[in-house]
Each structure stands twice: as C-alpha cells, then as structure tokens.
C-alpha cells in the first residue's frame, strides 16, 4: 500500500475565490476541508454506487462485498485505491515488496491478512490468507481501511475521516496523529488527492440534485452546464468542494459544506468529461487552461474568469442568454447571474473552453 509510509518529507505552500481551496484539496491539507458525517452514513458529497463497467468483472463482487464493512470504505473508494495501488494486477510486486492488488507489505499483511477466498475465482476460503488472492486482498484492504477510519475518528482531529483514513493508509496513523491531519509529505498528499479524485470515475450515480437532459448526452458544454445546475442553491464555502462534490472549506468557510467558484468549475468539467479532464483547482490557473475563446464567440459550458481584485480571482460557467452559473461569495449560494450586472460587466474577463 504504497509501502504504507510516505517517503518524502517536504511541504508546499500556495497562496488567492480559490487559492486557499488549493491548500484544502490539491495540496491535501484536508483536515481543513472536513465534511461532517454520521456514524451510519457515507461521507457527505461522495457517491457510493459502483460503476461496475469501470472494474474488471472478476473483481466486482469482491469490491461490492468489501464496501459492506463500513461506510468509509465505499465501493468507489476501494476501487480507486486498487487502481492506484496495482492497476488491477493481482500479481503486482513493488520495489518495497508490497504485494498483490492492494499492495500490502509482508509485515502489515501478517497482522491484517484475511482468508476470504480460494485462489480460483469464486472459490471458498482455503485456509490461507494470501495477498496475491484477489478476494483475500480486497477484503483485507477494506478491513484495514475500516480500522484506520476508527483510529482517526478517535483522534478527534476535526477533519474529514475519509481523507484522514487515506492519509493513514499511506503514511500510517501515527503520522496523521503527529501532524494533526494529513501529513505534509508530498507522496501522502498526492495519494489522498489521487484517490478522492478518481473515486468519481468509479461511481455509478451522482449525489442527489436537479438534473438536466443534457447531462446524459449532447455537447460537452451542455454537460458542463447540466452538472453545474445540479448544485443550484448549494452554499458557498471558501476552499470547499472539489471533483468529488461539495465539501467543508476553511477560514470563513470552515463551518460550511459547499463549493467555491473554482471547485464548482472543477466538478462540472470533470464529470462532463467522464473523468478525463480535471481543471486546475484555482481560478487564476483555470483561466490559463484549455483554449482561449473570444468573448463574442462564447457558448454554453465555456468558463469565464473575472479580474475582480487585481487577479482572476472569480470564475463561472456560461449557460447562454448572457447568463452564467457560479458560486459567488461567503453567505451566498450557487446561483445564476447576468453578465450585464455592473459588478461583473466592467471587469476584465477571460473565456476558456476546456473540452
């Protein structure tokens, strides 16, 4: 499991609607991006239904069975971990001697290994816990995930248990406790972000919300608009949200689960592209992504950035008829505004097409 230890020990700081959002999502200081959850509920904003088409058929029953062990180890999360750890190769062995689908090192396997299946697909337990047996590996992975989820809850760190669980999976629970959240190891920060991001690609359903016919087909831009529209009325949360959905922000967003301007764009584009395009986390970088579009050639689904305070610190999604959908500011909600509003009309603007 990535050797279950982060190897690098350096930090990175990035400083502007979503510059701090980068700290919470991309850099991985996710203790600041917490999402409250009940003991018997899945983490808020995370879908739990597996898209079986994205998983090799022989592993689908085991992933779905593993997901029954605890809410934190949802089927999309288990699948995303396996994809990251081994690329679905049950014979994988890493340079650190991490083995099998879930990449357990021998010492961790000796403690947690589960005899859940025989070596042949669908076979009954054979009395041997083997990291190279897919059923054993997947059930052990979920067992370990659930134990880690319990450990980080006991720490009362105030962060999102799912992100903290993933950090503990990669770096160990001791490191999470030492740093009071996701450790400042680039390997661990990247691991947490990679799993949370790729979970969306393994989900077979979206969080509840308003839908649009364009969501299920049509032009890429129409799908971007449809995915953004689903979140109309969702609170603005500074630094909150990401491709997995709304999340708790920090500073003035610390008590709010929602989106900021750039995380809403990130979510809509990511899902419209079926996980193939993930825009940068902050608005200042989003206005440099994709293809530049002249203002008079803008079409639905294009993103439009606004220079409000000396940089392109706000961004939204054009929906047609001179309107755009965006997450405006603390105390507001995801809503539709007009480009003719004086506050936006006289500001420098950039339009980008991301797909």
């Amino acid at each position: 499991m990535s050797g279950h230890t982060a190897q690098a020990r350096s930090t990175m700081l990035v400083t502007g609607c979503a510059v701090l959002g980068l700290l919470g999502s991309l850099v991985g200081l996710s203790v600041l991006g917490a999402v409250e959850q009940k003991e018997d509920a899945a983490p808020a904003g995370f879908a739990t239904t597996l898209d079986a088409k994205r998983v090799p058929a022989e592993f689908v029953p085991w992933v779905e069975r593993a997901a029954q062990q605890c809410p934190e180890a949802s089927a999309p999360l288990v699948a995303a971990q396996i994809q990251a750890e081994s690329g679905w190769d049950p014979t994988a062995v890493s340079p650190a001697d991490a083995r099998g689908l879930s990449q357990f090192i021998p010492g961790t396997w000796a403690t947690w290994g589960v005899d859940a299946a025989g070596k042949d697909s669908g076979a009954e337990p054979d009395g041997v816990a083997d990291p190279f047996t897919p059923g054993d590996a997947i059930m052990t992975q979920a067992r370990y995930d659930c134990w880690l989820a319990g450990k980080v809850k006991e720490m009362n760190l105030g962060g999102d248990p799912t992100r903290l669980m993933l950090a503990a999976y990669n770096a160990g629970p001791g490191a999470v406790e030492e740093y009071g959240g996701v450790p400042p190891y680039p390997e661990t920060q990247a691991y947490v972000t990679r799993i949370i991001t790729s979970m969306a690609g393994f989900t077979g359903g979206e969080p509840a919300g308003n839908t649009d016919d364009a969501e299920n087909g049509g032009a890429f831009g129409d799908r971007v608009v449809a995915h953004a529209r689903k979140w109309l009325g969702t609170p603005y949360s500074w630094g909150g949200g990401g491709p997995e959905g709304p999340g708790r922000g920090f500073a003035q967003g610390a008590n709010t689960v929602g989106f900021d301007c750039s995380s809403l764009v990130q979510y809509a584009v990511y899902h419209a592209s079926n996980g193939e395009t993930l825009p940068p986390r902050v608005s200042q970088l989003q206005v440099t992504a994709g293809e530049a579009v002249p203002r008079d050639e803008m079409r639905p689904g294009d993103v439009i950035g606004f220079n409000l305070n000396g940089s392109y610190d706000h961004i939204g999604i054009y929906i047609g008829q001179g309107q755009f959908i965006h997450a405006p500011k603390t105390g507001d909600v995801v809503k539709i505004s007009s480009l003719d509003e004086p506050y936006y009309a006289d500001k420098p603007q950039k339009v980008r097409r991301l797909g």
Side-chain angles (χ1 to χ4, degrees):
M1 294 185 175
S2 304
H4 295 116
T5 179
Q7 297 173 356
R9 296 293 185 266
S10 62
T11 59
M12 51 186 287
L13 294 177
V14 183
T15 65
C17 139
V19 168
L20 288 180
L22 180 62
L23 291 172
S25 179
L26 187 58
V27 177
L29 299 180
S30 51
V31 65
L32 300 174
V35 179
E36 235 175 55
Q37 73 182 100
K38 297 179 181 179
E39 291 292 325
D40 58 351
F46 292 85
T48 60
T49 304
L50 182 70
D51 182 354
K53 299 188 297 296
R54 298 293 301 274
V55 175
E58 65 268 32
F59 304 139
V60 169
W62 288 111
V63 171
E64 293 181 333
R65 180 177 168 185
Q68 298 173 15
Q69 295 198 43
C70 69
E72 292 80 10
S74 69
L77 183 141
V78 170
Q81 283 183 293
I82 296 171
Q83 176 67 42
E85 296 287 355
S86 66
W88 302 99
D89 179 4
T91 67
V93 179
S94 79
D97 201 25
R99 304 173 179 182
L101 280 177
S102 302
Q103 290 290 279
F104 276 96
I105 59 175
T108 307
W109 183 264
T111 301
W112 293 98
V114 173
D115 173 27
K119 293 186 181 300
D120 297 329
S121 179
E124 293 296 318
D126 56 8
V128 178
D130 178 13
F132 296 109
T133 297
D136 291 359
I138 295 172
M139 295 305 291
T140 299
Q141 174 186 327
R143 179 190 179 203
Y144 189 55
D145 277 343
C146 293
W147 179 79
L148 290 171
K151 290 291 290 184
V152 297
K153 285 181 181 179
E154 291 173 2
M155 295 175 192
N156 293 317
L157 300 176
D160 172 14
T162 301
R163 288 177 168 86
L164 296 176
M165 176 192 74
L166 289 170
Y169 189 104
N170 179 263
V176 172
E177 187 168 28
E178 177 183 354
Y179 287 98
V182 177
Y185 309 154
E187 178 191 326
T188 302
Q189 294 169 354
Y191 180 81
V192 172
T193 299
R194 182 165 69 252
I195 300 303
I196 292 296
T197 299
S198 62
M199 279 175 63
F202 288 101
T203 59
E206 295 286 351
N210 295 326
T211 59
D212 188 292
D213 289 342
E215 179 187 349
N216 297 315
F220 174 80
D222 292 333
R223 296 198 300 272
V224 172
V225 172
H227 281 288
R229 281 184 179 274
K230 291 192 299 184
W231 300 103
L232 285 169
T234 300
Y236 177 93
S237 177
W238 198 51
E244 73 274 14
R248 189 179 299 279
F250 49 97
Q252 59 263 49
N255 296 316
T256 306
V257 173
F259 288 101
D260 62 20
C261 65
S262 55
S263 67
L264 179 66
V265 168
Q266 194 181 47
Y267 175 92
V269 172
Y270 182 80
H271 286 271
S273 68
N274 294 317
E276 294 183 3
T277 301
L278 179 66
R281 177 60 177 84
V282 297
S283 55
Q284 290 90 342
L285 295 179
Q286 288 177 353
V287 297
T288 69
E291 173 190 356
V293 176
R295 178 72 161 67
D296 59 358
E297 295 180 16
M298 186 165 50
R299 67 190 187 199
D302 290 343
V303 301
I304 180 166
F306 303 89
N307 185 333
L308 301 180
N309 299 290
S311 70
Y312 282 88
D313 48 2
H314 188 62
I315 199 161
I317 297 167
Y318 184 63
I319 65 173
Q321 304 298 313
Q323 296 182 315
F324 67 107
I325 185 170
H326 63 142
K329 60 185 178 181
T330 299
D332 214 330
V333 298
V334 175
K335 66 182 184 182
I336 294 172
S337 296
S338 171
L339 290 172
D340 292 332
E341 292 181 22
Y343 184 71
Y344 300 107
D346 63 353
K347 301 296 192 299
Q349 301 172 7
K350 286 184 179 180
V351 180
R352 310 294 293 193
R353 187 163 295 154
L354 302 183

